Structures are given as C-alpha cells and as structure tokens.
Amino acid sequence: MISIRQVHPVFVGEVSGADLRQPLSKADVAAIEAGMDRYAVLIFRDQNITDDQQMAFTQNFGEIENAKGGNITKDNEYRLKKGMVDVSNLDKDGKPLPRDDRRRMFNLGNRLWHSDSSFRAKPAKYSILSARTVASQGGNTEFADMRAAYDTLDDATRASIEDLVCEHSLIYSRGSMGFSDLTEDEKAMMKPVRQRLVRTHPVTGRKSLYLSSHAGTILGWPDPEAKAFLMDLTEAATQREFVHSHKWRVGDLVMWDNRQTMHRARPFPHDEPRDVRRTTLMGDAPTVAQQAA
C-alpha cells in the first residue's frame, strides 16, 4: 500500500510502498495523483527502472509529450528512444560532452528557475525524472512551491497580476545566459507563446504563480519594465522557505507538477557522467488563447 510522508514544511512528499517496475493498481494511481495535488513534488526511492518501465509508469497519468522543439539536439545525435527526454551530459556513446559543446551550453539553461515546457502553447503537466548515474558531488535539483509563493503576496500585488499574460520562449531563457547562437530554423521552432502569470489548479482550486526563465515579457508592458518585474517576482518566489533541494541517489525517481512548481539543476563536475532521464506528461489545454500565426 502506498503511503506518503511530507519532507518539507510546505510541500514535497516521499512515497513508500511503490514498485514502479510493476503495473500500478487504480488505487495506487489515485493515491499518487492525490499526493501530487497536495505536495506538488513526490520522491520515489530505489526505483531501478528501465526506459520502458518509466514510460509505462508515466502513461498512468496521461499522454507523454512529444519532446521535439525543446532542445537543439539533431535527430542523429539522440541516444534515447522516442518518449524519453535526455537531460544528461552524455553524447551518443555515453561520454560526457565537451565543455564547449553547443548542446551542453544550451542545456546549461536548465540551471535557471523554470517550468518544463512553459514554452509550448499547451504546457506540460507532470515531469518524471529518473537517476541512472549521478555525479560524485553537486547536481542537486531544487524545487520551489509557486502556490506558497503566491499565498505570501499582498492583496494589491495579487490584484495587479491576476490577468497578466507573459510570452515564453527558449530564446528568452537561453539568451539571458548569453546563448544566442541559434539557426533560423531553431528560432522559428522557438517562437514565443502566451501563458497566464497566475494559474488555478483544476482540482484543488489553489492559485499559483506561473513563472519561468522562459518568460521574457508581459503583454502590454515595455520590455525593460516587464523583465525587471519578472526578476523581482522570481526572486521573491524562490526564497529558501519555498525551496527544497533534492540530493540524487541512483534509483531515485522524482515526479513534479509543472503547473505548481519551478525547478532548476545545480552544477556538478562537467567531466563526470550524469545520466538522468525524463518523461513529460502533456498538459490538458493552453493557459490562454494563442496569437494567430
């Protein structure tokens, strides 16, 4: 029987009683979904699963998102099967990418606070990350609870942001790090999409900030003012009281709700292999109507 204990004062649960190598019962799926609604981040220890088992577990909760458009890796450079997102630092031969490799530099954007696939018109629901090989030091993943962050805002701020709409794109997040080496095809693939700044959870009704490094401007605002405002809001939303840092062990699987949290990767020795593999659940609908093409 699945049980969940809270491991952070405001969110994050650790699950026991689950073997994700095996098919889940309807009761187990319901318990995990209820845990996600409550905690927003769930940790499963000692889950030494295969890619097929990870995808089968993911599909209990919806449809796996197509990863196309979320990176600059070429088709002949992929090392994992369709349905798996490679967030490791490894090339097709399993060796760490050189420090100046274009793919590695692009992926350094994962060290910024973000919500997975907020750059898609229909943003992601859950992300599920499995640790196959971990670095000797560093490499933690930090999570921030955007519900708790919203709750601490004063009434005037809540009222002022309620109807704001931002534009999200990988161009914004990577550009903020100095990575602008994109081809015209890549720029077209990363065309900005619109997202609400405040989201309401469809089950619990709780409101949360929908922030991400992918957010580059606010509709109707001058760009410098919008960027400064989003930076201030992100700083307030990622104070230590709202953040949990997960130290990875081989066999860990962590599941989080992108609608209610942000996360970021932390540095680790670049020449050490770190093999972590993600499956991402497609969201239900856009947060706001998209601009006509």
Side-chain angles (χ1 to χ4, degrees):
M1 179 182 294
I2 284 179
S3 62
I4 306 174
R5 68 179 184 92
Q6 191 162 339
V7 295
H8 183 276
V10 296
F11 72 139
V12 186
E14 184 169 318
V15 181
S16 58
D19 182 353
L20 305 187
R21 297 170 300 178
Q22 305 299 325
L24 297 180
S25 68
K26 289 184 179 180
D28 286 344
V29 172
I32 292 170
E33 287 186 318
M36 289 295 289
D37 292 343
R38 178 177 178 184
Y39 299 107
V41 179
L42 293 179
I43 300 166
F44 301 77
R45 300 283 193 183
D46 302 317
Q47 304 292 333
N48 295 304
I49 58 176
T50 65
D51 291 353
D52 286 338
Q53 289 166 342
Q54 181 172 343
M55 288 194 290
F57 170 69
T58 303
Q59 288 167 328
N60 284 294
F61 307 99
E63 185 178 348
I64 293 178
E65 180 184 88
N66 185 340
K68 190 172 181 60
N71 55 59
I72 59 171
T73 304
K74 296 180 174 61
D75 289 345
N76 64 347
E77 294 173 333
Y78 281 101
R79 69 186 190 97
L80 303 182
K81 62 167 55 183
K82 185 178 180 180
M84 302 295 298
V85 180
D86 192 358
V87 284
S88 74
N89 66 333
L90 305 176
D91 64 18
K92 205 171 181 180
D93 297 321
K95 297 179 180 178
L97 295 167
R99 196 166 199 170
D100 61 352
D101 187 281
R102 186 169 179 265
R103 291 165 292 174
R104 178 183 180 272
M105 290 189 289
F106 183 87
N107 290 336
L108 289 176
N110 290 325
R111 295 185 186 177
L112 302 173
W113 285 111
H114 66 284
S115 174
D116 285 337
S117 295
S118 75
F119 52 81
R120 300 186 191 278
K122 186 186 290 186
K125 183 182 179 182
Y126 299 157
S127 291
I128 298 168
L129 192 62
S130 169
R132 312 299 176 85
T133 304
V134 300
S136 62
Q137 57 183 315
N140 290 7
T141 300
E142 294 183 341
F143 298 92
D145 188 341
M146 294 296 99
R147 305 165 303 178
Y150 177 86
D151 290 345
T152 64
L153 299 175
D154 59 65
D155 290 341
T157 301
R158 290 186 198 176
S160 70
I161 67 174
E162 178 66 25
D163 296 319
L164 293 182
V165 174
C166 300
E167 284 193 344
H168 290 233
S169 171
L170 285 162
I171 295 171
Y172 295 137
S173 54
R174 273 42 184 185
S176 72
M177 299 183 73
F179 187 98
S180 56
D181 177 25
L182 296 169
T183 67
E184 291 305 312
D185 285 345
E186 289 166 346
K187 290 176 183 177
M189 180 176 67
M190 298 173 189
K191 182 180 177 181
V193 302
R194 296 178 172 185
Q195 307 289 4
R196 291 184 60 88
L197 182 54
V198 178
R199 296 187 71 170
T200 301
H201 192 275
V203 176
T204 66
R206 284 189 74 179
K207 290 187 175 182
S208 61
L209 293 170
Y210 194 41
L211 290 168
S212 180
S213 60
H214 307 315
T217 191
I218 300 171
L219 294 187
W221 287 37
D223 277 356
E225 184 181 5
K227 285 179 168 57
F229 182 77
L230 291 171
M231 286 172 61
D232 285 347
L233 206 54
T234 298
E235 183 178 0
T238 54
Q239 296 176 71
R240 299 317 301 177
E241 64 196 276
F242 306 136
V243 173
H244 171 77
S245 183
H246 179 72
K247 182 175 176 59
W248 290 94
R249 304 192 314 222
V250 172
D252 281 356
L253 182 140
V254 179
M255 180 175 184
W256 64 88
D257 190 337
N258 289 292
R259 303 166 300 177
Q260 304 187 86
T261 63
M262 279 200 297
H263 63 283
R264 65 175 180 176
R266 306 313 297 140
F268 60 94
H270 69 90
D271 55 352
E272 289 187 15
R274 181 178 185 266
D275 189 348
V276 285
R277 307 182 182 193
R278 194 182 82 213
T279 40
T280 313
L281 271 164
M282 184 183 297
D284 299 321
T287 66
V288 68
Q290 298 299 310
Q291 185 177 23

